[in-house]
Amino acid sequence: MERELAAAHAAVDEAVAVLRAGRDQPHTRTAKAAKDFLTEVDTASEDVLKRALGASTPDIGFYGEEGGGAALDEGRVWVVDPLDGTINYATGSPLCGVMVGLLEDGVPVLGVIDLPFLGTRVDSSGGALSDVSALDEGIVAVGDAFHRGGPRMDAFLDLGSEVHRRALRFRCVGAASVLWSWLVGGQIQGLFLAHNNPYDVVAGHAIARAAGAVVTDYAGAPLTLSSSGAMAAVPGIHAPLIDLAADLAAAAT
């Protein structure tokens, strides 16, 4: 899919320019949900991605975090997160990125992620996992769980505590784009997200799978659009991470 990969890279280039231009500007925060907001940079970046991808690949549908779009379970659809890690971005942290993934009949087939302020770009043409054979040799990261409540959130937080106890190191950075990029770059060996939002998962799923990572739901089943949550790991510690996630898997059903 050389044409599609080139189109994704070109669109990400334009979105990254929007993020860079808005970096030091004051941002208007528009509430989305409890403890969550978007800025004008989110919408400007999504507009750029939609225009660029529509011009280069008019035969492919579009779905964005902020504006929604085409149905995800049939045909070919671009799925984009125009500014992943909005709160990080708005508060001056470099831990944020742009994600563009391509679904084909609901299956991730291509992805590009750029972390503009870390100088990192990864795509589904390959990666460099750093495999380990034991959990205490691996660095494992979790996503934010601010939007969850009840038993599921409790189970997610308990999982984070167990990972912190058992893994070599624990990470939580507030941006799925960073976690996927670090997994395929060898900086971490596993990740758990608190959800399976397509704009946070599709690009990373395609990239991680192409690099040789194991991408599943919390119970170890193949990850699909209907899965209740997403995780990924290097082959050497996927099984023990699934064991640790048993309570979360049960709470998420």
Side-chain angles (χ1 to χ4, degrees):
M1 289 186 288
E2 293 182 2
R3 175 185 76 111
E4 292 84 352
L5 188 61
H9 275 286
V12 169
D13 286 343
E14 294 196 38
V16 164
V18 171
L19 267 62
R20 291 188 182 280
R23 173 72 164 169
D24 297 321
Q25 303 301 314
H27 303 119
T28 300
R29 302 181 179 186
T30 301
K32 292 175 65 174
K35 298 185 180 180
D36 197 16
F37 60 80
L38 63 83
T39 72
E40 67 280 8
V41 177
D42 295 75
T43 53
S45 178
E46 184 160 307
D47 289 346
V48 161
L49 289 168
K50 186 175 184 178
R51 178 194 56 74
L53 291 169
S56 60
T57 55
D59 54 315
I60 300 177
F62 181 89
Y63 183 95
E65 176 180 4
E66 309 307 341
L72 299 177
D73 58 352
E74 60 182 9
R76 307 179 84 197
V77 183
W78 293 112
V79 180
V80 311
D81 191 332
L83 173 47
D84 178 60
T86 297
I87 292 178
N88 287 351
Y89 178 85
T91 55
S93 167
L95 300 173
C96 56
V98 175
M99 298 199 283
V100 172
L102 179 62
L103 286 171
E104 188 166 313
D105 294 329
V107 177
V109 295
L110 179 153
V112 176
I113 298 176
D114 191 285
L115 311 178
F117 309 109
L118 296 181
T120 298
R121 181 173 295 194
V122 296
D123 66 29
S124 49
S125 64
L129 298 179
S130 179
D131 204 355
V132 294
S133 59
L135 186 52
D136 62 3
E137 299 172 353
I139 302 173
V140 179
V142 302
D144 284 336
F146 64 89
H147 61 303
R148 297 293 186 184
R152 176 172 175 148
M153 183 169 183
D154 292 341
F156 193 84
L157 296 175
D158 289 344
L159 171 66
S161 296
E162 282 304 302
V163 168
H164 209 159
R165 290 186 182 97
R166 302 192 190 189
L168 175 65
R169 288 292 186 276
F170 170 88
R171 302 284 183 262
C172 183
V173 301
S177 55
V178 175
L179 301 189
W180 291 114
S181 299
W182 283 357
L183 179 65
V184 301
Q187 288 83 38
I188 63 174
Q189 283 68 53
L191 66 88
F192 289 91
L193 300 183
H195 51 71
N196 186 33
N197 295 333
Y199 42 83
D200 285 328
V201 173
V202 170
H205 184 172
I207 293 168
R209 189 182 63 228
V214 185
V215 185
T216 65
D217 68 9
Y218 301 142
L223 186 67
T224 69
L225 290 174
S226 61
S227 298
S228 59
M231 66 158 293
V234 297
I237 63 168
H238 182 262
L241 287 178
I242 290 296
D243 291 341
L244 283 185
D247 289 346
L248 176 60
T253 56

